[in-house]
Amino acid sequence: MTLPREFRRPAFWLPLLVYGLYQANARLGHYPLPTLVTAYLSDLLAMPVILTLALVVQRRWVQRRATFCLPDSWLLGAWLYVSVWFELLLPLLSARHVGDWLDVVAYGLGTVVFRQLLNRPA
């Protein structure tokens, strides 16, 4: 079984690799990183990964077309959904979570990265 083309693009696996290295450092290396990196890197990397997974599902099981691209309205909806859930609702439901509007900006930048680099016909 071969990986879908979307999973073979550097703009997909690079965020996964960076996130893996970040987590390995947090758990094993404990090398100090700038606050900007520790606060927003995960949020920046999340949307390209989430949206690529959504794109693969749409292409394989819903649209059944390798040329299908997520419309901008869906990208906006995904960004709003993730932002509202993680930065507004989850902090209201759990004291363990904190809302940060700069996370919303990071989600937005990640969505733009997905749109420019990954939301292309296979």
Side-chain angles (χ1 to χ4, degrees), residues 3-120:
L3 283 175
R5 285 186 191 155
E6 298 84 1
F7 294 158
R8 290 184 261 151
R9 294 184 176 172
F12 173 72
W13 56 260
L14 190 58
L16 288 177
L17 177 64
V18 169
Y19 184 73
L21 291 171
Y22 170 72
Q23 288 299 314
N25 179 60
R27 289 170 175 39
L28 304 171
H30 305 292
Y31 180 79
L33 296 171
T35 304
L36 198 61
V37 171
T38 59
Y40 303 110
L41 181 65
S42 299
D43 302 316
L44 179 67
L45 301 175
M47 292 308 286
V49 173
I50 292 168
L51 291 169
T52 298
L53 294 173
L55 180 62
V56 169
V57 168
Q58 285 292 317
R59 284 183 178 170
R60 300 298 181 281
W61 294 309
V62 180
Q63 302 293 330
R64 299 180 191 257
R65 290 184 292 131
T67 59
F68 176 78
C69 293
L70 296 176
D72 287 345
S73 60
W74 292 18
L75 300 181
L76 178 63
W79 170 70
L80 284 172
Y81 178 84
V82 168
S83 297
V84 167
W85 175 250
F86 286 105
E87 305 307 323
L88 184 63
L89 297 177
L90 203 54
L92 292 174
L93 299 171
S94 170
R96 213 178 122 208
H97 297 90
V98 177
D100 179 356
W101 288 105
L102 287 176
D103 288 347
V104 174
V105 173
Y107 296 138
L109 291 173
T111 302
V112 170
V113 167
F114 170 81
R115 183 182 186 274
Q116 297 299 328
L117 300 177
L118 292 164
N119 199 25
R120 303 273 179 249

